[in-house]
């Protein structure tokens, strides 16, 4: 690190500046210019043309901080196949969480602090599924713990629900660095796990929070502003049909408070369905 201020207040101000600017995750101590690095050789050429790295070589003695287990570096379709195979074996939510905690196929696991598997009551009649954990969820290890979660709790309260009555999860259980949107590959790799989680929790109603959850769980092509508030059917692999309602993500509602009236309508629809009036 260069030119770091030496007094505490200045260091704190520098840290605050980075957090304000959205830099809330350190991947490495030093920056790397990846464009200046030589292109990696193809695996086969490497195996035949390169001598085995010597133990004495400084390059080989420094472990790469970005090195990922083999599974996370494999082709996404192959990893998704492994995920399906492993998720299928879970006979309970506890087993599924343990399997997911030991699954190395998603690179997000290696930048996240914690797995944010679920919160709330798995026996609840409603399961809510969001996109991916943010910084608070990553720190605590549970979904919807930050500002979005607080708004979600207030919305649930308007229809007489709280987290002792609903079960909460995400389509991706590890935080993407810097809160970026999970890539389609990351979602595809994690999908067998959320599918099995829904199957094992077996809720009466699935509430999809935001476009990515609605599109990936319900196979919808349209954006959330078109699909929200309408009832769809989610089919589990074992053939159960679950009523599903897409609604706006609470993070979106925090940014667009005027849209809260739409979210409110959807929650009223959820209440009516729970009361057998819809
Ligand atoms: N946004 C999500 O989609 N999930 C969380 O757990 C938190 C914020």
């Amino acid at each position: 690190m260069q030119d770091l201020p030496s007094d505490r207040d200045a260091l704190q101000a520098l840290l605050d500046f980075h957090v304000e600017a959205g830099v809330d995750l350190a991947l490495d101590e030093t920056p790397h210019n990846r464009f200046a690095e030589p292109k990696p050789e193809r695996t086969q050429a490497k195996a035949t043309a390169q001598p085995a790295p010597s133990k004495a070589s400084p390059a080989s003695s420094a472990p790469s901080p970005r090195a990922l287990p083999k599974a996370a570096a494999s082709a996404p379709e192959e990893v998704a196949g492994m995920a399906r195979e492993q998720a299928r074996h879970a006979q309970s939510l506890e087993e599924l969480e343990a399997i997911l905690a030991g699954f190395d196929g998603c690179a997000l696991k290696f930048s996240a602090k914690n797995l944010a598997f679920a919160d709330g009551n798995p026996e609840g009649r409603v399961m809510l599924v969001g996109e991916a954990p943010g910084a608070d969820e990553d720190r605590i290890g549970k979904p919807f713990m930050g500002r979005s979660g607080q708004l979600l709790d207030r919305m649930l309260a308007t229809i007489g629900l709280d987290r002792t009555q609903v079960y909460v999860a995400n389509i991706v259980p590890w935080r993407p660095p810097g809160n970026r949107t999970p890539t389609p590959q990351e979602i595809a790799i994690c999908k067998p796990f959320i599918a099995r989680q829904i199957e094992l929790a077996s809720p009466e109603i699935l509430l999809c929070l935001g476009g990515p959850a609605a599109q990936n769980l319900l196979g919808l092509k349209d954006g959330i502003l078109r699909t929200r508030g309408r009832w769809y059917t989610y089919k589990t692999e074992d053939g159960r049909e679950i009523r599903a309602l897409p609604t706006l993500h609470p993070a979106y509602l925090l940014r667009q408070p005027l849209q809260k009236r739409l979210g409110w309508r959807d929650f009223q629809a959820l209440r009516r369905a729970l009361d057998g009036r819809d």
Side-chain angles (χ1 to χ4, degrees), residues 23-38:
V23 182
D24 57 357
L25 183 84
L27 287 177
D28 205 346
E29 281 184 12
T30 47
H32 297 274
N33 182 355
R34 302 279 178 210
F35 294 105
E37 291 173 3

mmCIF file of all heavy atoms in Angstrom, residues 23-38:
data_model
loop_
_atom_site.group_PDB
_atom_site.id
_atom_site.type_symbol
_atom_site.label_atom_id
_atom_site.label_comp_id
_atom_site.label_asym_id
_atom_site.label_seq_id
_atom_site.Cartn_x
_atom_site.Cartn_y
_atom_site.Cartn_z
ATOM 1 N N VAL A 23 -16.780 0.578 -2.436
ATOM 2 C CA VAL A 23 -15.705 -0.419 -2.301
ATOM 3 C C VAL A 23 -15.825 -1.020 -0.907
ATOM 4 O O VAL A 23 -15.359 -0.461 0.068
ATOM 5 C CB VAL A 23 -14.306 0.241 -2.456
ATOM 6 C CG1 VAL A 23 -13.212 -0.812 -2.368
ATOM 7 C CG2 VAL A 23 -14.229 0.993 -3.759
ATOM 8 N N ASP A 24 -16.504 -2.158 -0.830
ATOM 9 C CA ASP A 24 -16.720 -2.738 0.495
ATOM 10 C C ASP A 24 -16.192 -4.153 0.590
ATOM 11 O O ASP A 24 -16.522 -4.904 1.473
ATOM 12 C CB ASP A 24 -18.211 -2.697 0.864
ATOM 13 C CG ASP A 24 -19.060 -3.426 -0.169
ATOM 14 O OD1 ASP A 24 -18.486 -3.887 -1.163
ATOM 15 O OD2 ASP A 24 -20.269 -3.534 0.037
ATOM 16 N N LEU A 25 -15.359 -4.523 -0.361
ATOM 17 C CA LEU A 25 -14.843 -5.885 -0.353
ATOM 18 C C LEU A 25 -13.400 -5.866 -0.838
ATOM 19 O O LEU A 25 -13.130 -5.332 -1.906
ATOM 20 C CB LEU A 25 -15.692 -6.743 -1.299
ATOM 21 C CG LEU A 25 -15.323 -8.197 -1.357
ATOM 22 C CD1 LEU A 25 -16.003 -8.937 -0.213
ATOM 23 C CD2 LEU A 25 -15.761 -8.803 -2.664
ATOM 24 N N ALA A 26 -12.479 -6.413 -0.027
ATOM 25 C CA ALA A 26 -11.077 -6.471 -0.450
ATOM 26 C C ALA A 26 -10.789 -7.865 -0.990
ATOM 27 O O ALA A 26 -10.959 -8.850 -0.275
ATOM 28 C CB ALA A 26 -10.170 -6.160 0.719
ATOM 29 N N LEU A 27 -10.420 -7.944 -2.258
ATOM 30 C CA LEU A 27 -10.119 -9.261 -2.830
ATOM 31 C C LEU A 27 -8.637 -9.585 -2.708
ATOM 32 O O LEU A 27 -8.247 -10.730 -2.686
ATOM 33 C CB LEU A 27 -10.525 -9.304 -4.305
ATOM 34 C CG LEU A 27 -12.022 -9.368 -4.583
ATOM 35 C CD1 LEU A 27 -12.277 -9.342 -6.072
ATOM 36 C CD2 LEU A 27 -12.652 -10.604 -3.968
ATOM 37 N N ASP A 28 -7.822 -8.536 -2.642
ATOM 38 C CA ASP A 28 -6.388 -8.767 -2.601
ATOM 39 C C ASP A 28 -5.725 -7.529 -1.996
ATOM 40 O O ASP A 28 -6.320 -6.458 -1.961
ATOM 41 C CB ASP A 28 -5.890 -8.991 -4.041
ATOM 42 C CG ASP A 28 -4.621 -9.801 -4.059
ATOM 43 O OD1 ASP A 28 -3.992 -9.952 -3.001
ATOM 44 O OD2 ASP A 28 -4.248 -10.271 -5.154
ATOM 45 N N GLU A 29 -4.476 -7.695 -1.545
ATOM 46 C CA GLU A 29 -3.801 -6.545 -0.931
ATOM 47 C C GLU A 29 -3.232 -5.591 -1.957
ATOM 48 O O GLU A 29 -3.036 -4.417 -1.691
ATOM 49 C CB GLU A 29 -2.668 -7.049 -0.036
ATOM 50 C CG GLU A 29 -3.191 -7.540 1.289
ATOM 51 C CD GLU A 29 -2.080 -7.961 2.217
ATOM 52 O OE1 GLU A 29 -0.908 -7.644 1.909
ATOM 53 O OE2 GLU A 29 -2.385 -8.589 3.223
ATOM 54 N N THR A 30 -2.900 -6.130 -3.124
ATOM 55 C CA THR A 30 -2.294 -5.271 -4.141
ATOM 56 C C THR A 30 -3.114 -5.326 -5.429
ATOM 57 O O THR A 30 -3.679 -6.375 -5.752
ATOM 58 C CB THR A 30 -0.859 -5.752 -4.476
ATOM 59 O OG1 THR A 30 -0.917 -7.153 -4.671
ATOM 60 C CG2 THR A 30 0.115 -5.408 -3.369
ATOM 61 N N PRO A 31 -3.194 -4.200 -6.160
ATOM 62 C CA PRO A 31 -3.924 -4.253 -7.434
ATOM 63 C C PRO A 31 -3.132 -5.038 -8.485
ATOM 64 O O PRO A 31 -1.911 -5.097 -8.425
ATOM 65 C CB PRO A 31 -4.042 -2.777 -7.832
ATOM 66 C CG PRO A 31 -3.014 -2.066 -7.053
ATOM 67 C CD PRO A 31 -2.642 -2.891 -5.858
ATOM 68 N N HIS A 32 -3.831 -5.660 -9.416
ATOM 69 C CA HIS A 32 -3.166 -6.386 -10.498
ATOM 70 C C HIS A 32 -3.658 -5.825 -11.826
ATOM 71 O O HIS A 32 -4.849 -5.612 -11.981
ATOM 72 C CB HIS A 32 -3.549 -7.873 -10.481
ATOM 73 C CG HIS A 32 -3.123 -8.572 -9.239
ATOM 74 N ND1 HIS A 32 -1.882 -9.118 -9.083
ATOM 75 C CD2 HIS A 32 -3.780 -8.797 -8.083
ATOM 76 C CE1 HIS A 32 -1.789 -9.658 -7.880
ATOM 77 N NE2 HIS A 32 -2.943 -9.476 -7.256
ATOM 78 N N ASN A 33 -2.741 -5.605 -12.730
ATOM 79 C CA ASN A 33 -3.155 -5.230 -14.080
ATOM 80 C C ASN A 33 -3.275 -6.518 -14.889
ATOM 81 O O ASN A 33 -2.312 -7.028 -15.439
ATOM 82 C CB ASN A 33 -2.128 -4.287 -14.707
ATOM 83 C CG ASN A 33 -2.565 -3.859 -16.100
ATOM 84 O OD1 ASN A 33 -3.577 -4.340 -16.619
ATOM 85 N ND2 ASN A 33 -1.816 -2.957 -16.703
ATOM 86 N N ARG A 34 -4.504 -7.063 -14.936
ATOM 87 C CA ARG A 34 -4.713 -8.347 -15.611
ATOM 88 C C ARG A 34 -4.446 -8.254 -17.118
ATOM 89 O O ARG A 34 -4.165 -9.250 -17.765
ATOM 90 C CB ARG A 34 -6.145 -8.843 -15.381
ATOM 91 C CG ARG A 34 -6.510 -9.015 -13.934
ATOM 92 C CD ARG A 34 -5.993 -10.332 -13.375
ATOM 93 N NE ARG A 34 -6.307 -10.456 -11.959
ATOM 94 C CZ ARG A 34 -5.563 -11.121 -11.096
ATOM 95 N NH1 ARG A 34 -4.448 -11.702 -11.482
ATOM 96 N NH2 ARG A 34 -5.910 -11.198 -9.835
ATOM 97 N N PHE A 35 -4.584 -7.012 -17.675
ATOM 98 C CA PHE A 35 -4.344 -6.866 -19.107
ATOM 99 C C PHE A 35 -2.857 -7.033 -19.434
ATOM 100 O O PHE A 35 -2.482 -7.381 -20.534
ATOM 101 C CB PHE A 35 -4.810 -5.492 -19.596
ATOM 102 C CG PHE A 35 -6.298 -5.324 -19.493
ATOM 103 C CD1 PHE A 35 -6.850 -4.547 -18.491
ATOM 104 C CD2 PHE A 35 -7.136 -5.974 -20.390
ATOM 105 C CE1 PHE A 35 -8.214 -4.408 -18.387
ATOM 106 C CE2 PHE A 35 -8.507 -5.837 -20.286
ATOM 107 C CZ PHE A 35 -9.053 -5.049 -19.280
ATOM 108 N N ALA A 36 -2.013 -6.728 -18.438
ATOM 109 C CA ALA A 36 -0.574 -6.797 -18.690
ATOM 110 C C ALA A 36 -0.019 -8.197 -18.454
ATOM 111 O O ALA A 36 1.128 -8.471 -18.776
ATOM 112 C CB ALA A 36 0.138 -5.797 -17.783
ATOM 113 N N GLU A 37 -0.844 -9.079 -17.877
ATOM 114 C CA GLU A 37 -0.347 -10.430 -17.601
ATOM 115 C C GLU A 37 -0.379 -11.272 -18.863
ATOM 116 O O GLU A 37 -1.258 -11.096 -19.706
ATOM 117 C CB GLU A 37 -1.219 -11.091 -16.522
ATOM 118 C CG GLU A 37 -1.017 -10.438 -15.175
ATOM 119 C CD GLU A 37 -2.000 -10.969 -14.139
ATOM 120 O OE1 GLU A 37 -2.793 -11.874 -14.463
ATOM 121 O OE2 GLU A 37 -1.948 -10.462 -13.014
ATOM 122 N N PRO A 38 0.595 -12.203 -19.002
ATOM 123 C CA PRO A 38 0.556 -13.065 -20.190
ATOM 124 C C PRO A 38 -0.683 -13.940 -20.168
ATOM 125 O O PRO A 38 -1.156 -14.310 -19.098
ATOM 126 C CB PRO A 38 1.823 -13.927 -20.051
ATOM 127 C CG PRO A 38 2.246 -13.788 -18.634
ATOM 128 C CD PRO A 38 1.677 -12.507 -18.097
#
